[in-house]
mmCIF file of all heavy atoms in Angstrom:
data_model
loop_
_atom_site.group_PDB
_atom_site.id
_atom_site.type_symbol
_atom_site.label_atom_id
_atom_site.label_comp_id
_atom_site.label_asym_id
_atom_site.label_seq_id
_atom_site.Cartn_x
_atom_site.Cartn_y
_atom_site.Cartn_z
ATOM 1 N N VAL F 276 12.324 2.041 -2.981
ATOM 2 C CA VAL F 276 12.438 3.186 -3.891
ATOM 3 C C VAL F 276 13.801 3.131 -4.578
ATOM 4 O O VAL F 276 13.893 3.306 -5.799
ATOM 5 C CB VAL F 276 12.275 4.518 -3.131
ATOM 6 C CG1 VAL F 276 12.489 5.697 -4.076
ATOM 7 C CG2 VAL F 276 10.913 4.591 -2.461
ATOM 8 N N LEU F 277 14.840 2.886 -3.810
ATOM 9 C CA LEU F 277 16.197 2.885 -4.379
ATOM 10 C C LEU F 277 16.472 1.552 -5.070
ATOM 11 O O LEU F 277 16.347 0.482 -4.451
ATOM 12 C CB LEU F 277 17.233 3.164 -3.284
ATOM 13 C CG LEU F 277 17.038 4.504 -2.563
ATOM 14 C CD1 LEU F 277 18.108 4.717 -1.500
ATOM 15 C CD2 LEU F 277 17.034 5.671 -3.555
ATOM 16 N N GLU F 279 19.000 -0.192 -6.129
ATOM 17 C CA GLU F 279 20.036 -1.171 -5.795
ATOM 18 C C GLU F 279 19.782 -1.857 -4.449
ATOM 19 O O GLU F 279 20.492 -2.775 -4.073
ATOM 20 C CB GLU F 279 21.425 -0.512 -5.810
ATOM 21 C CG GLU F 279 21.653 0.589 -4.786
ATOM 22 C CD GLU F 279 21.027 1.923 -5.199
ATOM 23 O OE1 GLU F 279 20.354 1.982 -6.257
ATOM 24 O OE2 GLU F 279 21.187 2.902 -4.463
ATOM 25 N N ARG F 346 21.617 9.339 7.723
ATOM 26 C CA ARG F 346 20.147 9.399 7.651
ATOM 27 C C ARG F 346 19.693 10.340 6.539
ATOM 28 O O ARG F 346 18.852 10.012 5.721
ATOM 29 C CB ARG F 346 19.583 9.940 8.967
ATOM 30 C CG ARG F 346 19.631 8.995 10.122
ATOM 31 C CD ARG F 346 19.172 9.759 11.339
ATOM 32 N NE ARG F 346 19.025 8.912 12.507
ATOM 33 C CZ ARG F 346 18.756 9.380 13.720
ATOM 34 N NH1 ARG F 346 18.609 10.677 13.900
ATOM 35 N NH2 ARG F 346 18.628 8.567 14.737
ATOM 36 N N ASN F 347 20.268 11.541 6.551
ATOM 37 C CA ASN F 347 19.819 12.551 5.586
ATOM 38 C C ASN F 347 20.184 12.192 4.154
ATOM 39 O O ASN F 347 19.397 12.429 3.232
ATOM 40 C CB ASN F 347 20.400 13.923 5.943
ATOM 41 C CG ASN F 347 19.654 14.523 7.126
ATOM 42 O OD1 ASN F 347 18.427 14.406 7.207
ATOM 43 N ND2 ASN F 347 20.388 15.144 8.044
ATOM 44 N N ARG F 348 21.365 11.591 3.989
ATOM 45 C CA ARG F 348 21.773 11.215 2.626
ATOM 46 C C ARG F 348 20.777 10.218 2.055
ATOM 47 O O ARG F 348 20.315 10.354 0.928
ATOM 48 C CB ARG F 348 23.182 10.617 2.663
ATOM 49 C CG ARG F 348 23.771 10.409 1.280
ATOM 50 C CD ARG F 348 25.121 9.746 1.332
ATOM 51 N NE ARG F 348 25.074 8.523 2.157
ATOM 52 C CZ ARG F 348 26.145 7.821 2.506
ATOM 53 N NH1 ARG F 348 27.354 8.221 2.141
ATOM 54 N NH2 ARG F 348 26.016 6.725 3.225
ATOM 55 N N GLN F 349 20.429 9.213 2.873
ATOM 56 C CA GLN F 349 19.483 8.187 2.419
ATOM 57 C C GLN F 349 18.108 8.795 2.134
ATOM 58 O O GLN F 349 17.496 8.544 1.100
ATOM 59 C CB GLN F 349 19.365 7.118 3.524
ATOM 60 C CG GLN F 349 18.555 5.907 3.133
ATOM 61 C CD GLN F 349 19.380 4.920 2.323
ATOM 62 O OE1 GLN F 349 20.531 5.205 1.988
ATOM 63 N NE2 GLN F 349 18.788 3.787 2.000
ATOM 64 N N MET F 350 17.645 9.627 3.070
ATOM 65 C CA MET F 350 16.329 10.235 2.945
ATOM 66 C C MET F 350 16.221 11.102 1.694
ATOM 67 O O MET F 350 15.228 11.050 0.974
ATOM 68 C CB MET F 350 16.077 11.106 4.182
ATOM 69 C CG MET F 350 14.889 10.669 4.971
ATOM 70 S SD MET F 350 14.905 11.367 6.622
ATOM 71 C CE MET F 350 15.216 9.861 7.529
ATOM 72 N N ASN F 351 17.270 11.871 1.427
ATOM 73 C CA ASN F 351 17.229 12.758 0.258
ATOM 74 C C ASN F 351 17.199 11.961 -1.046
ATOM 75 O O ASN F 351 16.512 12.347 -1.996
ATOM 76 C CB ASN F 351 18.405 13.736 0.274
ATOM 77 C CG ASN F 351 18.243 14.755 1.401
ATOM 78 O OD1 ASN F 351 17.130 15.007 1.863
ATOM 79 N ND2 ASN F 351 19.356 15.332 1.854
ATOM 80 N N MET F 352 17.928 10.845 -1.078
ATOM 81 C CA MET F 352 17.887 10.012 -2.290
ATOM 82 C C MET F 352 16.520 9.386 -2.475
ATOM 83 O O MET F 352 15.984 9.329 -3.581
ATOM 84 C CB MET F 352 18.956 8.905 -2.212
ATOM 85 C CG MET F 352 20.351 9.416 -2.454
ATOM 86 S SD MET F 352 21.537 8.105 -2.887
ATOM 87 C CE MET F 352 21.326 6.892 -1.618
ATOM 88 N N ILE F 353 15.933 8.903 -1.379
ATOM 89 C CA ILE F 353 14.607 8.283 -1.457
ATOM 90 C C ILE F 353 13.569 9.305 -1.916
ATOM 91 O O ILE F 353 12.795 9.059 -2.846
ATOM 92 C CB ILE F 353 14.208 7.668 -0.092
ATOM 93 C CG1 ILE F 353 15.098 6.458 0.203
ATOM 94 C CG2 ILE F 353 12.729 7.287 -0.059
ATOM 95 C CD1 ILE F 353 14.967 5.908 1.610
ATOM 96 N N LEU F 354 13.583 10.474 -1.290
ATOM 97 C CA LEU F 354 12.587 11.494 -1.645
ATOM 98 C C LEU F 354 12.831 12.039 -3.049
ATOM 99 O O LEU F 354 11.885 12.324 -3.788
ATOM 100 C CB LEU F 354 12.589 12.619 -0.604
ATOM 101 C CG LEU F 354 12.118 12.166 0.784
ATOM 102 C CD1 LEU F 354 12.372 13.237 1.831
ATOM 103 C CD2 LEU F 354 10.637 11.797 0.770
ATOM 104 N N GLY F 355 14.098 12.154 -3.433
ATOM 105 C CA GLY F 355 14.430 12.622 -4.789
ATOM 106 C C GLY F 355 13.883 11.672 -5.844
ATOM 107 O O GLY F 355 13.278 12.092 -6.839
ATOM 108 N N ASN F 356 14.080 10.382 -5.628
ATOM 109 C CA ASN F 356 13.569 9.396 -6.586
ATOM 110 C C ASN F 356 12.044 9.315 -6.567
ATOM 111 O O ASN F 356 11.415 9.182 -7.613
ATOM 112 C CB ASN F 356 14.189 8.017 -6.314
ATOM 113 C CG ASN F 356 15.599 7.900 -6.884
ATOM 114 O OD1 ASN F 356 15.785 7.556 -8.048
ATOM 115 N ND2 ASN F 356 16.598 8.227 -6.082
ATOM 116 N N LEU F 357 11.461 9.402 -5.384
ATOM 117 C CA LEU F 357 9.995 9.410 -5.291
ATOM 118 C C LEU F 357 9.410 10.564 -6.100
ATOM 119 O O LEU F 357 8.419 10.406 -6.808
ATOM 120 C CB LEU F 357 9.586 9.574 -3.824
ATOM 121 C CG LEU F 357 9.024 8.363 -3.102
ATOM 122 C CD1 LEU F 357 8.760 8.684 -1.640
ATOM 123 C CD2 LEU F 357 7.728 7.903 -3.768
ATOM 124 N N THR F 358 10.063 11.716 -5.998
ATOM 125 C CA THR F 358 9.598 12.895 -6.738
ATOM 126 C C THR F 358 9.590 12.618 -8.240
ATOM 127 O O THR F 358 8.612 12.942 -8.931
ATOM 128 C CB THR F 358 10.519 14.099 -6.436
ATOM 129 O OG1 THR F 358 10.589 14.259 -5.016
ATOM 130 C CG2 THR F 358 9.998 15.371 -7.071
#
Side-chain angles (χ1 to χ4, degrees):
V276 176
L277 301 180
E279 63 281 3
R346 287 174 173 173
N347 284 320
R348 189 183 51 188
Q349 187 82 355
M350 241 163 249
N351 291 337
M352 285 198 309
I353 291 170
L354 294 170
N356 280 274
L357 253 176
T358 306

